[in-house]
C-alpha cells in the first residue's frame, strides 16, 4: 500500500492491474512526506485512467521518476491520441490543484496525435532512513 510501501510500491501495484501496459522507471524513488506521496499517487492514477479511457487499445504508458536531494519529478507519458491543451478537463485540473497544494507544479504537454505527457515537479525532502525502513518491512 501507499502508506507502508511508498510511491514506488504503490505504483508497481497499479501497473500490475492496469488495463493498459505500463512501463515503470522509478530509479531513486525513496519515501517522501505522506502528503507528497498521496498527491503524486493521485496524479498517476488519474493520468492512467485518462490514458485507458481515451487512449485506445494500443496505448502504452511510461511513468518515470527522477529525484535528487531537493526535487522529485514524476512524468507520466502515454502514446494515446493526445488533445488540444485548451480543452483540459476537470481531471487534469484536479491533478494540477493537488500538486500545487503540496507546493509543486504540474506541466501538461499534449497535442492531437502526439500523446500526452504530464510532469509533476515537487520541491521535497527525501525522508531520512527510508532505505532502512523499507528493508525492515520486507
Amino acid at each position: 500500500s501507499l502508506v507502508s510501501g511508498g510511491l514506488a510500491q504503490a505504483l508497481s501495484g497499479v501497473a500490475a492491474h492496469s488495463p493498459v501496459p505500463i512501463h515503470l522507471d522509478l530509479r531513486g524513488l525513496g519515501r517522501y512526506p505522506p502528503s507528497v506521496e498521496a498527491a503524486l499517487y493521485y496524479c498517476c492514477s488519474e493520468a492512467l485512467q485518462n490514458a485507458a479511457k481515451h487512449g485506445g487499445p494500443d496505448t502504452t504508458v511510461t511513468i518515470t521518476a527522477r529525484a535528487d536531494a531537493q526535487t522529485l519529478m514524476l512524468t507520466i507519458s502515454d502514446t494515446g491520441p493526445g488533445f488540444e491543451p485548451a480543452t483540459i478537463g476537470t481531471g487534469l485540473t484536479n491533478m494540477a490543484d493537488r500538486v500545487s497544494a503540496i507546493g509543486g507544479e504540474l506541466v501538461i504537454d499534449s497535442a492531437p496525435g502526439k500523446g500526452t505527457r504530464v510532469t509533476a515537479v515537487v520541491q521535497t525532502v527525501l525522508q531520512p532512513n527510508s532505505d532502512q525502513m523499507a528493508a525492515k518491512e520486507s
Side-chain angles (χ1 to χ4, degrees), residues 4 30-31 126-138:
S4 66
R31 294 305 308 265
L126 188 65
Q127 297 292 283
N129 303 325
S130 53
D131 289 336
Q132 287 94 320
M133 282 168 52
K136 270 188 209 139
E137 284 168 9
S138 58

Side-chain angles (χ1 to χ4, degrees), residues 41-103:
Y41 180 76
Y42 171 84
C43 282
C44 286
S45 301
E46 191 74 28
L48 292 172
Q49 282 174 4
N50 288 344
K53 188 164 71 178
H54 304 294
D58 299 327
T59 299
T60 58
V61 177
T62 302
I63 301 177
T64 308
R66 291 288 173 265
D68 60 27
Q70 289 89 32
T71 310
L72 172 57
M73 184 168 90
L74 199 64
T75 304
I76 308 116
S77 53
D78 70 54
T79 61
F83 59 89
E84 287 289 350
T87 62
I88 286 177
T90 53
L92 290 168
T93 305
N94 291 344
M95 287 161 68
D97 290 347
R98 288 291 289 269
V99 173
S100 68
I102 55 169

